[in-house]
Amino acid sequence: MTANGTPLLEVRDLRTWFPIRSGVFSRVTAHVKAVDGVSFRVGRQETLGLVGESGCGKTTVGRSILRLVEPTEGTVIFDGQDVRATEGSSLRDLRKRMQIIFQDPYGSLNPRMTVGSILTEGPKIHQMGNASEIRGRIEHLMDRCGLDPVNHINRYPHEFSGGQRQRIGIARALSVEPEFIVCDEAVSALDVSIQAQIINLLLDLQQEFDLSYLFIAHDLAVVEHISHRVAVMYLGKIVEESPATELYSNPRHPYTKALLSAVPEPDIQRRRNRILLEGDVPSPINPPSGCSFHTRCPSAGNRCSLEVPHAFEVGSEHRSFCWLEDEAGVGSTKVQS
Ligand code: SF4
């Protein structure tokens, strides 16, 4: 995972539940269990792809790590520091090292600020040099991100295309010299050809600035080329995690297989029979008992609605949370190592 074996980010048993209030006294009557016991690690200069259908909790995972929403339970350790126990100026320093790129770059860019103002805002807040030093660094970053420092720096976000706006969003994230970036559906709103350009840019920037990414997407095809490892989420939980190449060649969990079968595949050798899942994703307010996928799983058995499956090691760094692995006689582990 890393040169010295220590992850940059470690998330253990993360839960983020949102209360639902009702009645005259606004009592909490239920919770939306958006994230319900998620554990993973991200190494230095590593990309973990986090994939699942819309509403599975992956965006909440990214925001909980950065404390843009407050987790309910669990541990987030960034470079040895307990993120949930950090407050005040220490939290501000930590946030400088952990940035986010949003899906909708237009919505996240202040329309009344020029590109230059947007990009210098963070470095000024964090006092990262005098005005000319910051300006010089921002111009270099714009150039690296495929923007023209001379012609673009005094323009406003609405004057740019979607792809260019995402380049501004990337440059803004990089402006405070982070080590870790949550890319939250960062290419999902873009055309396929622009998606490829932005992914290639993120790969180049990772090399140049030694970055680690949590790359969130709903489409397995998108994360394949950027991720070293991939975690698949369903209804607030990770159901499979694996090195990327292994996941695509040897998916184990029925949900991963269904997602992969929907990926358009030009290579006839890799084409899969389409697995159509019946029904809708259940409500995270009242998730199904046992394996939360059992209401839609084509392979569900009696045990699946009764017991929550734990992690089964099915290969090197490859884990699947499915009782089928028990029947296959694969070694298992109950806790995240
Ligand atoms: Fe399907 Fe059962 Fe495996 Fe869940 S535990 S994915 S319901 S076979």
Side-chain angles (χ1 to χ4, degrees):
M1 180 177 289
T2 62
N4 61 10
T6 311
L8 179 65
L9 176 77
E10 181 164 11
V11 174
R12 290 198 294 261
D13 216 13
L14 185 73
R15 285 185 167 74
T16 305
W17 293 8
F18 298 107
I20 298 172
R21 296 176 189 277
S22 57
V24 186
F25 300 107
S26 283
R27 291 218 174 89
V28 175
T29 51
H31 287 91
V32 177
K33 296 171 182 172
V35 179
D36 197 20
V38 162
S39 302
F40 60 82
R41 298 171 173 189
V42 183
R44 292 168 203 273
Q45 293 117 56
E46 185 183 47
T47 301
L48 176 68
L50 189 60
V51 181
E53 286 167 286
S54 176
C56 72
K58 55 195 188 302
T59 287
T60 307
V61 169
R63 288 170 194 225
S64 301
I65 290 167
L66 304 185
R67 288 195 41 207
L68 299 177
V69 295
E70 284 297 335
T72 310
E73 276 179 37
T75 307
V76 180
I77 304 291
F78 180 78
D79 199 17
Q81 194 170 344
D82 185 344
V83 175
R84 290 193 63 205
T86 305
E87 297 296 344
S89 61
S90 301
L91 181 59
R92 205 181 62 217
D93 292 345
L94 203 56
R95 285 206 169 120
K96 171 180 172 296
R97 300 171 66 191
M98 305 165 79
Q99 289 288 303
I100 185 166
I101 301 167
F102 295 98
Q103 174 177 2
D104 175 10
Y106 192 55
S108 68
L109 299 173
N110 187 333
R112 285 184 290 278
M113 290 171 74
T114 63
V115 171
S117 308
I118 289 168
L119 298 185
T120 54
E121 189 179 33
K124 282 180 184 165
I125 289 170
H126 292 287
Q127 300 174 344
M128 298 174 68
N130 62 36
S132 80
E133 287 166 344
I134 290 174
R135 171 99 181 189
R137 203 161 57 239
I138 290 307
E139 288 179 354
H140 170 70
L141 258 186
M142 289 181 70
D143 188 47
R144 274 306 285 109
C145 292
L147 298 162
D148 179 349
V150 177
N151 290 312
H152 289 164
I153 199 160
N154 291 320
R155 294 210 195 158
Y156 291 87
H158 73 269
E159 298 179 71
F160 293 87
S161 67
Q164 283 175 315
R165 287 200 292 259
Q166 199 52 293
R167 290 173 191 273
I168 299 168
I170 293 168
R172 178 177 61 178
L174 288 174
S175 68
V176 290
E177 301 178 355
E179 293 144 70
F180 172 74
I181 300 179
V182 174
C183 304
D184 184 9
E185 301 270 13
V187 299
S188 302
L190 305 174
D191 292 345
V192 174
S193 62
I194 310 292
Q195 279 186 356
Q197 290 174 16
I198 297 294
I199 285 176
N200 286 334
L201 173 63
L202 289 169
L203 285 167
D204 290 346
L205 294 169
Q206 182 169 46
Q207 291 290 320
E208 185 171 342
F209 298 108
D210 295 336
L211 297 166
S212 304
Y213 296 136
L214 179 66
F215 193 89
I216 296 170
H218 59 266
D219 184 346
L220 268 167
V222 168
V223 300
E224 181 172 9
H225 297 293
I226 196 166
S227 303
H228 299 97
R229 290 182 301 117
V230 176
V232 179
M233 271 189 84
Y234 184 79
L235 215 55
K237 297 181 190 298
I238 289 176
V239 298
E240 184 164 10
E241 184 185 350
S242 166
T245 46
E246 164 84 0
L247 190 90
Y248 289 86
S249 62
N250 183 28
R252 301 292 290 237
H253 196 281
Y255 181 59
T256 312
K257 289 180 183 176
L259 283 186
L260 270 176
S261 77
V263 172
E265 182 52 72
D267 180 353
I268 200 158
Q269 302 288 335
R270 295 201 341 168
R271 260 183 219 162
R272 298 176 164 87
N273 289 330
R274 183 80 196 262
I275 302 167
L276 286 175
L277 294 177
E278 308 249 320
D280 296 325
V281 179
S283 167
I285 298 172
N286 190 17
S289 59
C291 172
S292 56
F293 187 53
H294 84 258
T295 55
R296 302 172 77 202
C297 179
S299 308
N302 293 338
R303 186 181 190 183
C304 300
S305 61
L306 302 173
E307 296 177 65
V308 178
H310 56 79
F312 290 87
E313 298 284 353
V314 294
S316 175
E317 293 187 70
H318 188 173
R319 303 176 311 150
S320 177
F321 293 74
C322 173
W323 289 126
L324 292 177
E325 304 299 348
D326 207 19
E327 290 162 25
V330 176
S332 65
T333 175
K334 284 196 173 177
V335 289
Q336 169 116 351
S337 57

